[in-house]
Amino acid sequence: ALIADNFAVAVGTEGVSMLSMFRGPNREESAATGPLSFFAQRNPILDIGFGRTGAAFDWQFARRASLQAMYSVNTKESPGTPGSLSDGNTTTGVQLLLTPIDPVDVSLYYVNNYSPNGCLLTFIGDDCLTAKNSQTGQSAALQTNAVGATVNWQISPRVTLGAWGGYTTSEIPGEKGNVETTNYMFYLNFPDLFADGNLGGLYVGQPLKIISSDLPEGNNVPDFFDTGRGRSGGQPGTTIHLEAFYRFQLTDGISLTPGVIHAIDPGHTPDSDSITIGILRTTFLF
């Protein structure tokens, strides 16, 4: 709801997430008409919690600056919880959007998340950060703080250069140690490439990766999957995600996007076989 010319609020039981409530600097982040993979849409930090029920606001407090904030809960990750705004996977997010000069947009964001099962729900790379206990079959809960930034530079009307980076640190409430992750992406967008309305894109990045994990023994994911003991340590390798696509705008409402995604060392596992995926997306907009 628009409360004033520069201030809007949203309250709901579905769809209240950073994905839907936070505007991004990359104008081509749409899942329907932009990059092909979920990872290339935006920094996975902004997907943490995958919120459902909650409240948010968007405040354009200056001509070149705005602030968004959101609180949400995803109770589907905690069966049996009553479904209030304090149960389940809860997320608080804040984003500052700036346009310091006309061709450049910058976003800075902070996210705080409580996960009852140790999963951030980004569905990208290392998003489950505690191993399942062999006796209880449950993963430990995590409290996470995450920060990130995205920069988008429109070099010309037909070339845009962008990048983002993100960092998370998480701990088991009441326990010593933490687990840290990083992710990054560099991208080039080519609006109106070869024809008006078409779009080319090149994206290269690293999905969420556990770089350090010194939770109590038995909880550390990299060593748990390697030896089953869950001792301290980070991932032994680094996944590199490469993506290229070209969108043909056939009509105002129909587009066809062929592309390819290539993952080097998938699963952050060194010496593993690379994966190549060919994709053809057809989009109908009404």
Side-chain angles (χ1 to χ4, degrees), residues 129-130 177-180 210-215 219-223 230-235:
L129 306 180
T130 55
N178 70 340
V179 52
E180 300 171 295
I210 297 173
I211 59 169
S212 173
S213 186
D214 63 353
L215 301 171
N219 291 283
N220 300 287
V221 168
D223 185 67
R231 297 167 299 182
S232 297
Q235 289 285 27

Side-chain angles (χ1 to χ4, degrees), residues 25-26 104-109 149-153 161-165 187:
N26 183 3
V104 177
D105 293 297
V106 179
S107 65
L108 308 170
Y109 29 91
T150 303
V151 179
N152 192 84
W153 174 26
L161 173 66
W164 73 62
Y187 62 85

